[in-house]
């Protein structure tokens, strides 16, 4: 699975949400910072070349759909981020969030309970 650019990832998030869409449908999902239609079309074709997206042709128009599931992409992204930034340490990841005050002690205790209940 190839790495996506930020714009490609943004488009994939929209396509995962829409499930099936024409370029104009994806364009409508953008806020004020809409790319040009041709730019978006190029991004989608790049996603297709990277095998993230497939399409169904209706004459000259294509309806696009995700080939890669959001969950599969998320797993790969998280594993890569942990490997790259936390030396393969999930403990390091959790410590980072605790130090940055992004997770509280009570949330950590809740996570521990959930882990223990799964065993």
């Amino acid at each position: 699975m190839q790495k996506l650019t930020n714009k490609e990832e943004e488009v994939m998030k929209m396509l995962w949400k829409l499930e099936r869409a024409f370029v104009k449908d994806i364009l409508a999902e953008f806020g004020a910072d809409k790319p040009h239609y041709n730019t978006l079309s190029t991004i989608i074709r790049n996603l297709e070349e990277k095998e993230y997206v497939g399409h169904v042709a209706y004459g000259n128009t294509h309806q696009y759909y995700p080939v890669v599931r959001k969950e599969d992409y998320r797993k790969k992204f998280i594993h890569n981020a942990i490997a790259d930034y936390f030396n393969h340490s999930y403990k390091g990841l959790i410590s980072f969030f605790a130090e940055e005050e992004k997770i509280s002690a009570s949330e950590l205790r809740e996570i521990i309970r959930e882990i223990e209940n799964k065993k």
Side-chain angles (χ1 to χ4, degrees):
M1 193 179 302
Q2 285 184 296
K3 185 166 174 54
L4 298 181
T5 66
N6 290 340
K7 270 298 182 205
E8 289 171 340
E9 192 171 293
E10 183 179 8
V11 170
M12 280 305 300
K13 288 177 186 177
M14 293 173 186
L15 198 50
W16 282 319
K17 176 184 167 195
L18 296 169
E19 296 179 0
R20 291 186 167 271
F22 297 95
V23 174
K24 67 179 178 62
D25 300 325
I26 299 169
L27 195 58
E29 289 291 308
F30 280 88
D33 193 23
K34 286 186 185 194
H36 188 273
Y37 182 96
N38 292 340
T39 301
L40 180 56
S41 185
T42 299
I43 292 168
I44 294 169
R45 281 194 308 276
N46 290 343
L47 286 167
E48 201 166 17
E49 286 177 22
K50 291 180 176 182
E51 299 180 353
Y52 277 83
V53 171
H55 76 268
V56 176
Y58 297 99
N60 292 336
T61 306
H62 294 146
Q63 185 181 43
Y64 297 95
Y65 57 90
V67 173
V68 173
R69 294 178 334 126
K70 184 177 183 177
E71 295 77 24
D72 295 335
Y73 182 75
R74 181 176 46 209
K75 275 184 194 176
K76 178 144 179 83
F77 172 77
I78 288 175
H79 289 300
N80 287 346
I82 292 169
D84 292 346
Y85 297 105
F86 300 100
N87 198 28
H88 299 279
S89 170
Y90 289 87
K91 180 182 173 190
L93 173 71
I94 300 299
S95 295
F96 169 79
F97 285 123
E99 289 169 12
E100 294 291 314
E101 298 180 4
K102 303 292 184 191
I103 192 167
S104 68
S106 64
E107 289 171 319
L108 285 171
R109 284 190 289 276
E110 185 179 330
I111 291 168
I112 291 168
R113 276 193 303 275
E114 288 177 16
I115 292 169
E116 288 172 342
N117 288 337
K118 287 183 181 181
K119 290 182 179 181

